[in-house]
Amino acid sequence: MRFMLSDEQSAIQDMAREVLAAESTFDRVRSAGEERQYDSELWALQRSMGWPGVGVPQRWGGQGLGLVELSVIAEECGYACSSTPLLGTILAATSLVSAASSEQCERYLPSLAAGEVRGAVALTADSTPVPDAGEAGLIVVLEGSGGRVSLQPAQPVETIDPTLRYGRVVDPSAGEPLNQSPIAYDSTLVVVSAHQLGLAQRALDLSVAYTSVREQFGVPVATFQAVSHRLAQAHVDLTAARSLVYHAAWAVQVGDSEASASAARAKAWLAEASRTVTGSAIHAHGGIGFTWEANLHWLFKRATMLGPYLGGARQHRSRLLDMLGTAQTTSHETDHS
Amino acid sequence: MRFMLSDEQSAIQDMAREVLAAESTFDRVRSAGEERQYDSELWALQRSMGWPGVGVPQRWGGQGLGLVELSVIAEECGYACSSTPLLGTILAATSLVSAASSEQCERYLPSLAAGEVRGAVALTADSTPVPDAGEAGLIVVLEGSGGRVSLQPAQPVETIDPTLRYGRVVDPSAGEPLNQSPIAYDSTLVVVSAHQLGLAQRALDLSVAYTSVREQFGVPVATFQAVSHRLAQAHVDLTAARSLVYHAAWAVQVGDSEASASAARAKAWLAEASRTVTGSAIHAHGGIGFTWEANLHWLFKRATMLGPYLGGARQHRSRLLDMLGTAQTTSHETDHS
Amino acid sequence: MDLTLSADELAFRDDFRAWIADHHPGSPPSNVEERYYWRLEWLRELNRGGFAAMHWPSEYGGRGATAMLNAVFFTELARAGAPIPANHIATFMAGPTIMQWGTQEQKERYLAPMLRADNVWCQGFSEPGAGSDLAAVATFAAREGDEFVVNGQKVWTSEAQYAHFCLLVTRTDRSVAQHKGLTYFILDMSSPGITRRPLRQLTGESEFNELFFDNVRIPASSVIGEVGNGWRVAMTTLMHERSMIGAGYGIRLRNYLTVVESHLRAHGLLDDPIVADRFTDLEIRTRALELSALRQISEAQARGSVGSEGSILKLMWSDTYSRLAEFAIETVGPDALEDASGWAWEYLRSRASTIEGGTSDILRNIVADRVLGLPRAR
Amino acid sequence: MDLTLSADELAFRDDFRAWIADHHPGSPPSNVEERYYWRLEWLRELNRGGFAAMHWPSEYGGRGATAMLNAVFFTELARAGAPIPANHIATFMAGPTIMQWGTQEQKERYLAPMLRADNVWCQGFSEPGAGSDLAAVATFAAREGDEFVVNGQKVWTSEAQYAHFCLLVTRTDRSVAQHKGLTYFILDMSSPGITRRPLRQLTGESEFNELFFDNVRIPASSVIGEVGNGWRVAMTTLMHERSMIGAGYGIRLRNYLTVVESHLRAHGLLDDPIVADRFTDLEIRTRALELSALRQISEAQARGSVGSEGSILKLMWSDTYSRLAEFAIETVGPDALEDASGWAWEYLRSRASTIEGGTSDILRNIVADRVLGLPRAR
């Protein structure tokens, strides 16, 4: 048993963080947000690196990597708060990989994997604004363990997070039906949770750095327990978050019996923790944290938007309870021989 | 408008605190608890001072004071965590004053006011252990805005709080019916909330004193924000508690239109705050706080027992919501001309 | 214990209620700047009725009102849906500070125009390097004959874009203990060398400003309360700020709660037990704040002085406000997160509540130190 | 990332599962002391099977197990409803400390009897005046020839009523910096001058003891790791304590959660949406702790050392345990508060969870300081 990234997975993480640190600075995020346009240069770069197709099998033009690798990329894009249609596109591609017929895969995946078509994933019964749907060319609309794939444009929605183009599905009954696949939904929950984890981790890292140097009353503010204990608690909550997200990524990837429960736990926890930690980072920064230039607000706003997306904390706790009821004896086994 | 104790009320408070500080020390509370017997000497003293009859009109042998004065006495008995049947007896007397016919008042109140008969108040539809019912000679069983008065002994229950004799009503349908009176229930909620406030205030005061002198790492532990901010928050929560309790006492006493809502708010808040603050005091004391000799546990255990008694936080929030729905426009007026 | 209004309070309430009915300013303009001037005009109107500064002595145009009567005033404003008048830094902070520390000439010059809204005021206390720590003020005022020459920077000065005068705390002596070298000035905002820059907040708006001082000259006659005495004068200002806070907080919270409740009821959302339970908890917290504000007014009147308890109300307010804003955005529906929604604005704005006007951390220090009497950290 | 058990781990699991089936100790006696000796007998039985100290090297009677294999061991114990064996202070703290710092003679004398339960151990670190602050230890050991003479007091020594030996941290030099003047001893608990007094807890029981030392003589040969080096040796002990913690915490919490869940389901209480939502939140927290323990084992193995992350697990455990105990007592019904109820016991016992084994305040200091690298307060 090895519950940590493999060397290859760590290398992907390092590479992604390095690229995004250089090419998705907060200056770039801010100007994308202020102009309400994606960072097209970054999107071109992500396409050239094959990120939209990370989870797409090679025969359809992707890199054929698993949900763990996809989560790593999603987390890093959250960490950078990058402004591109990548999240929606990998969500759409991932759900198609498991729910589309091979004919549909053939038709849709190569263009998604290449980033020629931008994607998004929505739920039928939910009018929460859908990230990246505002300019998506393809929308997967999930319903129960089935769903449809639609090329009908969504209704754009301006939200508090102008760094992504949100939208709402106009006609959920439009499009072609997909196969039944519970994994489609579970996978999307994992990817979104990973992205939320990245947002929160960045907010915590920024707070650690800032409070270590910012002085008040002649000492760094991090020497006050009111500050340091709040950050320590955020770290504890993100330790839980990381365990839940990467366990879910692994469990869904290998088809473990705990997969759906684990995905529900991850989304339920991150829906709250991501917002709490990014919000608490604003407080930790004091007055500066409330300014436009502090950049924390981009993290906080996106964490807020993604909280209810694909179901919020309460919905996933409720789903989890149903699963625990039916699989009570096996749900907490750590060995799966 | 004067939202504070009058000079007379303050004098009652000072007198009660002084008497109890001398005659209801934690040594006395502990030995009552360990022997599972009331402090009969203290009870005799309380009777001699007329406390059981504080709220009983003079024509039935009481002092004829109002619910504010009764709350002051109840708070101070909580502050001392005293081990006598006073709480149950004043609850029974108070509910009879408003719900009994004058014939019933004549029959029951003089002996309650004199402390010759010990009382308790229970709810029909609730099997939460009732404080002082274990050895009560008279039990008022409230149901809706009506109820009954019963002389049938309750079934004694040993609970985590051995400083009071708890019991359960055996047959809620036994006894004589009382008049309809919503004030009976509201009054009991106020008195119990005031008692809970006293428990919590004592726990906070003990913590302030202890952490100011206890040293760790060469300084008083109260100089650590982890400690001082927890106590500051407890003080904030008890400021809210005190405002809610004494507003409710006044509102019920004068028959203000907000009376029932205010009593529900007080009980809902204190059911949680009293337990939280007494529990947090244990933590503030460190290892010592967890010992039998630290005495904090008597406060914490009684706060826990009284939480669900006469309805817990959720029940009273639910009642309050119904009241807000029907009296939406008048509920937050502060002037009642 | 008697929470009924006194005969005087009742009489005032009825008078003022009738007056508002005749003078109500109507609905607010949507533009931020227009709304500010509309609230300034409302101050003038109140002044014509004699209501501009209830708590000021009558010799300066007030009514010598008790804090309780002032609370009645605010309650009636809220009840009528009338705005809180602009220029509150003048009426609640600058005015009382000048009354306590100012010279006769300063009182004559500055006080009356405040109520006529001829003078708008802002407050220059916070600095980028100081934040919550007033003793760390670095903006320096160097004496040159009858003048002081000021260089430095202030932040978080609200309404500086409209202000004619600024309450300015500076350092005039670097050789003494930090809080002893401060001096408090009235700064004429039309003086050469002042740059005002709006500070954009995460809501996208600019309530606050940065002020930059480049060799700004202030006459020595504009010192308030002696050179080197700035710390004590500033404490007076802050205490008055806190004393006005209670009633204002209660009103803001109650109005917001009412909006949330109406929405929830209109959409049947209170049928959800979790929503109902959370909402009611917030109602209790709001009521507790309102009642605690009244209780503190009673106690301050009995004691004859305002204490540190304003910190407690601020803590209650920011905590409940943040909870309510989060609750609303989670509960009212999927439109809440849209850019133009009032729910989104309150949610974002609420993030400042634990920071502005004393961070919650500083306020808990104050409660621990001055209310509970715990030993201090350093 | 691969959470399936390795072939070795699977093989061990199957072996051990079969072994337990044949050697299960049955139900626990209800008397506290009898239960302790029953768990000690269980240690002997495990030792006969070679399972007493999985993580010890085979030369000392262990299996040289990885932390992951040890986690499998604990998971199987829990699954079988078998108790955690007694004498864990020996197997998890004293043993590893002596292996690292002890002389050859000390290793030979003390290690093997621990697993046979011939030696029971307790830990003498905490003092009334020191609490969480090991550097403030005042119990003094004065050198006299080949002996040290100890005077002072320890508190919170669990299982001292059964112990033959004590891990004792004393001060031997008052003239150097606080944490430099400490020396670590093995104390024979049969030495004259030791008084053991049970410390009654708010649950009414006495898990812990006070120890009083009145001129207790310890041979110099019982020093572990050099005179004056006690701080470093004690850190080794504490690190080993923390390394065993993860799996144990997860099991305790999961078992308790399962009891709560069964009760709620049996009584239809999960039909209440508020109860259901809170319960499920607690399930997620419990799973997060279990998974975080596994993840830390993986990371510690990869890194080759145990870090400060045990503090994180302890914080998760005490927080979730306290929440769960409160939730249970509020939810399971009115009998929960009766004196003899298991619900009441867990509820009261949970109050110690944020205090024992490092208070949550100290642990947050550790996380802030050593994990996040924040500057230290003093």
Side-chain angles (χ1 to χ4, degrees), chain A residues 253-278:
Chain A
Q253 176 169 315
V254 304
D256 185 86
S257 62
E258 202 185 347
S260 293
S262 196
R265 285 192 196 99
K267 186 63 173 69
W269 186 257
L270 267 300
E272 292 180 342
S274 186
R275 202 184 62 183
T276 307
V277 170
T278 52

PDB file of all heavy atoms in Angstrom, chain A residues 253-278:
ATOM      1  N   GLN A 253     -10.867   5.438  -9.727  1.00  0.00           N
ATOM      2  CA  GLN A 253     -10.007   4.957 -10.820  1.00  0.00           C
ATOM      3  C   GLN A 253      -9.964   3.429 -10.882  1.00  0.00           C
ATOM      4  O   GLN A 253     -10.039   2.848 -11.952  1.00  0.00           O
ATOM      5  CB  GLN A 253      -8.590   5.522 -10.630  1.00  0.00           C
ATOM      6  CG  GLN A 253      -7.587   5.027 -11.644  1.00  0.00           C
ATOM      7  CD  GLN A 253      -6.282   5.831 -11.562  1.00  0.00           C
ATOM      8  OE1 GLN A 253      -6.303   7.053 -11.476  1.00  0.00           O
ATOM      9  NE2 GLN A 253      -5.167   5.146 -11.574  1.00  0.00           N
ATOM     10  N   VAL A 254      -9.827   2.781  -9.721  1.00  0.00           N
ATOM     11  CA  VAL A 254      -9.715   1.314  -9.744  1.00  0.00           C
ATOM     12  C   VAL A 254     -11.063   0.624  -9.598  1.00  0.00           C
ATOM     13  O   VAL A 254     -11.131  -0.602  -9.588  1.00  0.00           O
ATOM     14  CB  VAL A 254      -8.759   0.788  -8.636  1.00  0.00           C
ATOM     15  CG1 VAL A 254      -7.388   1.436  -8.762  1.00  0.00           C
ATOM     16  CG2 VAL A 254      -9.346   1.000  -7.248  1.00  0.00           C
ATOM     17  N   GLY A 255     -12.138   1.393  -9.469  1.00  0.00           N
ATOM     18  CA  GLY A 255     -13.439   0.757  -9.319  1.00  0.00           C
ATOM     19  C   GLY A 255     -13.637   0.105  -7.971  1.00  0.00           C
ATOM     20  O   GLY A 255     -14.352  -0.892  -7.832  1.00  0.00           O
ATOM     21  N   ASP A 256     -13.007   0.650  -6.963  1.00  0.00           N
ATOM     22  CA  ASP A 256     -13.154   0.138  -5.610  1.00  0.00           C
ATOM     23  C   ASP A 256     -14.612   0.218  -5.150  1.00  0.00           C
ATOM     24  O   ASP A 256     -15.359   1.096  -5.584  1.00  0.00           O
ATOM     25  CB  ASP A 256     -12.266   0.989  -4.689  1.00  0.00           C
ATOM     26  CG  ASP A 256     -12.242   0.461  -3.283  1.00  0.00           C
ATOM     27  OD1 ASP A 256     -11.416  -0.429  -3.025  1.00  0.00           O
ATOM     28  OD2 ASP A 256     -13.050   0.914  -2.448  1.00  0.00           O
ATOM     29  N   SER A 257     -14.989  -0.681  -4.250  1.00  0.00           N
ATOM     30  CA  SER A 257     -16.395  -0.707  -3.816  1.00  0.00           C
ATOM     31  C   SER A 257     -16.761   0.568  -3.051  1.00  0.00           C
ATOM     32  O   SER A 257     -17.930   0.890  -2.910  1.00  0.00           O
ATOM     33  CB  SER A 257     -16.643  -1.918  -2.923  1.00  0.00           C
ATOM     34  OG  SER A 257     -15.838  -1.825  -1.759  1.00  0.00           O
ATOM     35  N   GLU A 258     -15.770   1.266  -2.539  1.00  0.00           N
ATOM     36  CA  GLU A 258     -16.052   2.486  -1.787  1.00  0.00           C
ATOM     37  C   GLU A 258     -16.065   3.723  -2.697  1.00  0.00           C
ATOM     38  O   GLU A 258     -16.190   4.852  -2.205  1.00  0.00           O
ATOM     39  CB  GLU A 258     -14.964   2.639  -0.709  1.00  0.00           C
ATOM     40  CG  GLU A 258     -15.374   3.506   0.461  1.00  0.00           C
ATOM     41  CD  GLU A 258     -14.203   3.714   1.445  1.00  0.00           C
ATOM     42  OE1 GLU A 258     -13.194   2.992   1.321  1.00  0.00           O
ATOM     43  OE2 GLU A 258     -14.324   4.589   2.309  1.00  0.00           O
ATOM     44  N   ALA A 259     -15.919   3.538  -4.001  1.00  0.00           N
ATOM     45  CA  ALA A 259     -15.691   4.671  -4.899  1.00  0.00           C
ATOM     46  C   ALA A 259     -16.730   5.790  -4.756  1.00  0.00           C
ATOM     47  O   ALA A 259     -16.377   6.954  -4.530  1.00  0.00           O
ATOM     48  CB  ALA A 259     -15.633   4.184  -6.348  1.00  0.00           C
ATOM     49  N   SER A 260     -18.000   5.445  -4.877  1.00  0.00           N
ATOM     50  CA  SER A 260     -19.016   6.495  -4.867  1.00  0.00           C
ATOM     51  C   SER A 260     -19.082   7.183  -3.505  1.00  0.00           C
ATOM     52  O   SER A 260     -19.244   8.406  -3.414  1.00  0.00           O
ATOM     53  CB  SER A 260     -20.385   5.918  -5.211  1.00  0.00           C
ATOM     54  OG  SER A 260     -20.391   5.473  -6.540  1.00  0.00           O
ATOM     55  N   ALA A 261     -18.969   6.399  -2.446  1.00  0.00           N
ATOM     56  CA  ALA A 261     -18.991   6.987  -1.109  1.00  0.00           C
ATOM     57  C   ALA A 261     -17.814   7.935  -0.939  1.00  0.00           C
ATOM     58  O   ALA A 261     -17.942   9.041  -0.398  1.00  0.00           O
ATOM     59  CB  ALA A 261     -18.948   5.890  -0.043  1.00  0.00           C
ATOM     60  N   SER A 262     -16.669   7.512  -1.421  1.00  0.00           N
ATOM     61  CA  SER A 262     -15.478   8.310  -1.243  1.00  0.00           C
ATOM     62  C   SER A 262     -15.573   9.617  -2.037  1.00  0.00           C
ATOM     63  O   SER A 262     -15.171  10.680  -1.550  1.00  0.00           O
ATOM     64  CB  SER A 262     -14.267   7.479  -1.673  1.00  0.00           C
ATOM     65  OG  SER A 262     -13.091   8.059  -1.198  1.00  0.00           O
ATOM     66  N   ALA A 263     -16.128   9.547  -3.243  1.00  0.00           N
ATOM     67  CA  ALA A 263     -16.309  10.765  -4.050  1.00  0.00           C
ATOM     68  C   ALA A 263     -17.287  11.717  -3.369  1.00  0.00           C
ATOM     69  O   ALA A 263     -17.080  12.942  -3.344  1.00  0.00           O
ATOM     70  CB  ALA A 263     -16.797  10.400  -5.448  1.00  0.00           C
ATOM     71  N   ALA A 264     -18.342  11.155  -2.800  1.00  0.00           N
ATOM     72  CA  ALA A 264     -19.327  12.006  -2.106  1.00  0.00           C
ATOM     73  C   ALA A 264     -18.696  12.672  -0.891  1.00  0.00           C
ATOM     74  O   ALA A 264     -18.933  13.852  -0.617  1.00  0.00           O
ATOM     75  CB  ALA A 264     -20.539  11.166  -1.682  1.00  0.00           C
ATOM     76  N   ARG A 265     -17.881  11.924  -0.153  1.00  0.00           N
ATOM     77  CA  ARG A 265     -17.209  12.514   1.006  1.00  0.00           C
ATOM     78  C   ARG A 265     -16.303  13.670   0.585  1.00  0.00           C
ATOM     79  O   ARG A 265     -16.285  14.726   1.215  1.00  0.00           O
ATOM     80  CB  ARG A 265     -16.339  11.473   1.715  1.00  0.00           C
ATOM     81  CG  ARG A 265     -17.091  10.461   2.530  1.00  0.00           C
ATOM     82  CD  ARG A 265     -16.104   9.679   3.405  1.00  0.00           C
ATOM     83  NE  ARG A 265     -16.732   8.470   3.908  1.00  0.00           N
ATOM     84  CZ  ARG A 265     -16.566   7.258   3.372  1.00  0.00           C
ATOM     85  NH1 ARG A 265     -15.776   7.085   2.328  1.00  0.00           N
ATOM     86  NH2 ARG A 265     -17.182   6.229   3.898  1.00  0.00           N
ATOM     87  N   ALA A 266     -15.535  13.438  -0.481  1.00  0.00           N
ATOM     88  CA  ALA A 266     -14.599  14.468  -0.924  1.00  0.00           C
ATOM     89  C   ALA A 266     -15.345  15.749  -1.288  1.00  0.00           C
ATOM     90  O   ALA A 266     -14.986  16.848  -0.860  1.00  0.00           O
ATOM     91  CB  ALA A 266     -13.778  13.965  -2.115  1.00  0.00           C
ATOM     92  N   LYS A 267     -16.410  15.606  -2.068  1.00  0.00           N
ATOM     93  CA  LYS A 267     -17.127  16.807  -2.501  1.00  0.00           C
ATOM     94  C   LYS A 267     -17.817  17.489  -1.326  1.00  0.00           C
ATOM     95  O   LYS A 267     -17.814  18.726  -1.223  1.00  0.00           O
ATOM     96  CB  LYS A 267     -18.141  16.429  -3.588  1.00  0.00           C
ATOM     97  CG  LYS A 267     -18.853  17.635  -4.222  1.00  0.00           C
ATOM     98  CD  LYS A 267     -17.905  18.560  -4.961  1.00  0.00           C
ATOM     99  CE  LYS A 267     -18.588  19.668  -5.748  1.00  0.00           C
ATOM    100  NZ  LYS A 267     -19.227  20.700  -4.931  1.00  0.00           N
ATOM    101  N   ALA A 268     -18.387  16.708  -0.416  1.00  0.00           N
ATOM    102  CA  ALA A 268     -19.055  17.294   0.746  1.00  0.00           C
ATOM    103  C   ALA A 268     -18.053  18.084   1.579  1.00  0.00           C
ATOM    104  O   ALA A 268     -18.325  19.213   2.014  1.00  0.00           O
ATOM    105  CB  ALA A 268     -19.705  16.203   1.600  1.00  0.00           C
ATOM    106  N   TRP A 269     -16.887  17.514   1.798  1.00  0.00           N
ATOM    107  CA  TRP A 269     -15.891  18.179   2.652  1.00  0.00           C
ATOM    108  C   TRP A 269     -15.330  19.416   1.983  1.00  0.00           C
ATOM    109  O   TRP A 269     -15.224  20.483   2.584  1.00  0.00           O
ATOM    110  CB  TRP A 269     -14.773  17.189   2.976  1.00  0.00           C
ATOM    111  CG  TRP A 269     -13.787  17.725   3.967  1.00  0.00           C
ATOM    112  CD1 TRP A 269     -12.549  18.212   3.709  1.00  0.00           C
ATOM    113  CD2 TRP A 269     -13.982  17.838   5.389  1.00  0.00           C
ATOM    114  NE1 TRP A 269     -11.948  18.614   4.884  1.00  0.00           N
ATOM    115  CE2 TRP A 269     -12.796  18.403   5.920  1.00  0.00           C
ATOM    116  CE3 TRP A 269     -15.032  17.520   6.255  1.00  0.00           C
ATOM    117  CZ2 TRP A 269     -12.646  18.649   7.289  1.00  0.00           C
ATOM    118  CZ3 TRP A 269     -14.873  17.767   7.603  1.00  0.00           C
ATOM    119  CH2 TRP A 269     -13.691  18.328   8.105  1.00  0.00           C
ATOM    120  N   LEU A 270     -14.982  19.282   0.697  1.00  0.00           N
ATOM    121  CA  LEU A 270     -14.347  20.415   0.009  1.00  0.00           C
ATOM    122  C   LEU A 270     -15.327  21.551  -0.240  1.00  0.00           C
ATOM    123  O   LEU A 270     -14.926  22.715  -0.270  1.00  0.00           O
ATOM    124  CB  LEU A 270     -13.710  19.946  -1.301  1.00  0.00           C
ATOM    125  CG  LEU A 270     -12.237  19.542  -1.236  1.00  0.00           C
ATOM    126  CD1 LEU A 270     -11.375  20.707  -0.768  1.00  0.00           C
ATOM    127  CD2 LEU A 270     -12.008  18.355  -0.320  1.00  0.00           C
ATOM    128  N   ALA A 271     -16.593  21.223  -0.440  1.00  0.00           N
ATOM    129  CA  ALA A 271     -17.573  22.295  -0.664  1.00  0.00           C
ATOM    130  C   ALA A 271     -17.529  23.268   0.505  1.00  0.00           C
ATOM    131  O   ALA A 271     -17.651  24.475   0.327  1.00  0.00           O
ATOM    132  CB  ALA A 271     -18.979  21.709  -0.811  1.00  0.00           C
ATOM    133  N   GLU A 272     -17.318  22.765   1.702  1.00  0.00           N
ATOM    134  CA  GLU A 272     -17.247  23.650   2.865  1.00  0.00           C
ATOM    135  C   GLU A 272     -15.820  24.107   3.165  1.00  0.00           C
ATOM    136  O   GLU A 272     -15.574  25.280   3.397  1.00  0.00           O
ATOM    137  CB  GLU A 272     -17.870  22.963   4.084  1.00  0.00           C
ATOM    138  CG  GLU A 272     -19.369  22.785   3.904  1.00  0.00           C
ATOM    139  CD  GLU A 272     -20.088  22.120   5.067  1.00  0.00           C
ATOM    140  OE1 GLU A 272     -19.426  21.468   5.897  1.00  0.00           O
ATOM    141  OE2 GLU A 272     -21.317  22.253   5.133  1.00  0.00           O
ATOM    142  N   ALA A 273     -14.881  23.172   3.153  1.00  0.00           N
ATOM    143  CA  ALA A 273     -13.514  23.506   3.583  1.00  0.00           C
ATOM    144  C   ALA A 273     -12.864  24.516   2.640  1.00  0.00           C
ATOM    145  O   ALA A 273     -12.119  25.395   3.073  1.00  0.00           O
ATOM    146  CB  ALA A 273     -12.664  22.245   3.675  1.00  0.00           C
ATOM    147  N   SER A 274     -13.136  24.402   1.361  1.00  0.00           N
ATOM    148  CA  SER A 274     -12.479  25.292   0.407  1.00  0.00           C
ATOM    149  C   SER A 274     -12.923  26.726   0.648  1.00  0.00           C
ATOM    150  O   SER A 274     -12.107  27.662   0.644  1.00  0.00           O
ATOM    151  CB  SER A 274     -12.825  24.842  -1.015  1.00  0.00           C
ATOM    152  OG  SER A 274     -12.104  25.580  -1.964  1.00  0.00           O
ATOM    153  N   ARG A 275     -14.187  26.899   0.887  1.00  0.00           N
ATOM    154  CA  ARG A 275     -14.678  28.242   1.146  1.00  0.00           C
ATOM    155  C   ARG A 275     -14.209  28.750   2.499  1.00  0.00           C
ATOM    156  O   ARG A 275     -13.821  29.915   2.657  1.00  0.00           O
ATOM    157  CB  ARG A 275     -16.206  28.241   1.088  1.00  0.00           C
ATOM    158  CG  ARG A 275     -16.765  29.597   0.816  1.00  0.00           C
ATOM    159  CD  ARG A 275     -18.253  29.580   0.856  1.00  0.00           C
ATOM    160  NE  ARG A 275     -18.705  29.192   2.184  1.00  0.00           N
ATOM    161  CZ  ARG A 275     -19.994  29.044   2.489  1.00  0.00           C
ATOM    162  NH1 ARG A 275     -20.917  29.197   1.558  1.00  0.00           N
ATOM    163  NH2 ARG A 275     -20.353  28.710   3.707  1.00  0.00           N
ATOM    164  N   THR A 276     -14.239  27.878   3.488  1.00  0.00           N
ATOM    165  CA  THR A 276     -13.835  28.292   4.828  1.00  0.00           C
ATOM    166  C   THR A 276     -12.369  28.712   4.856  1.00  0.00           C
ATOM    167  O   THR A 276     -12.015  29.743   5.434  1.00  0.00           O
ATOM    168  CB  THR A 276     -14.040  27.136   5.821  1.00  0.00           C
ATOM    169  OG1 THR A 276     -15.385  26.680   5.704  1.00  0.00           O
ATOM    170  CG2 THR A 276     -13.781  27.585   7.239  1.00  0.00           C
ATOM    171  N   VAL A 277     -11.522  27.917   4.241  1.00  0.00           N
ATOM    172  CA  VAL A 277     -10.091  28.208   4.299  1.00  0.00           C
ATOM    173  C   VAL A 277      -9.757  29.454   3.481  1.00  0.00           C
ATOM    174  O   VAL A 277      -8.978  30.303   3.933  1.00  0.00           O
ATOM    175  CB  VAL A 277      -9.266  26.991   3.823  1.00  0.00           C
ATOM    176  CG1 VAL A 277      -7.806  27.363   3.657  1.00  0.00           C
ATOM    177  CG2 VAL A 277      -9.419  25.840   4.814  1.00  0.00           C
ATOM    178  N   THR A 278     -10.346  29.608   2.308  1.00  0.00           N
ATOM    179  CA  THR A 278     -10.051  30.814   1.523  1.00  0.00           C
ATOM    180  C   THR A 278     -10.607  32.051   2.224  1.00  0.00           C
ATOM    181  O   THR A 278      -9.974  33.115   2.215  1.00  0.00           O
ATOM    182  CB  THR A 278     -10.617  30.725   0.087  1.00  0.00           C
ATOM    183  OG1 THR A 278     -12.012  30.386   0.146  1.00  0.00           O
ATOM    184  CG2 THR A 278      -9.902  29.659  -0.731  1.00  0.00           C
TER     185      THR A 278
END
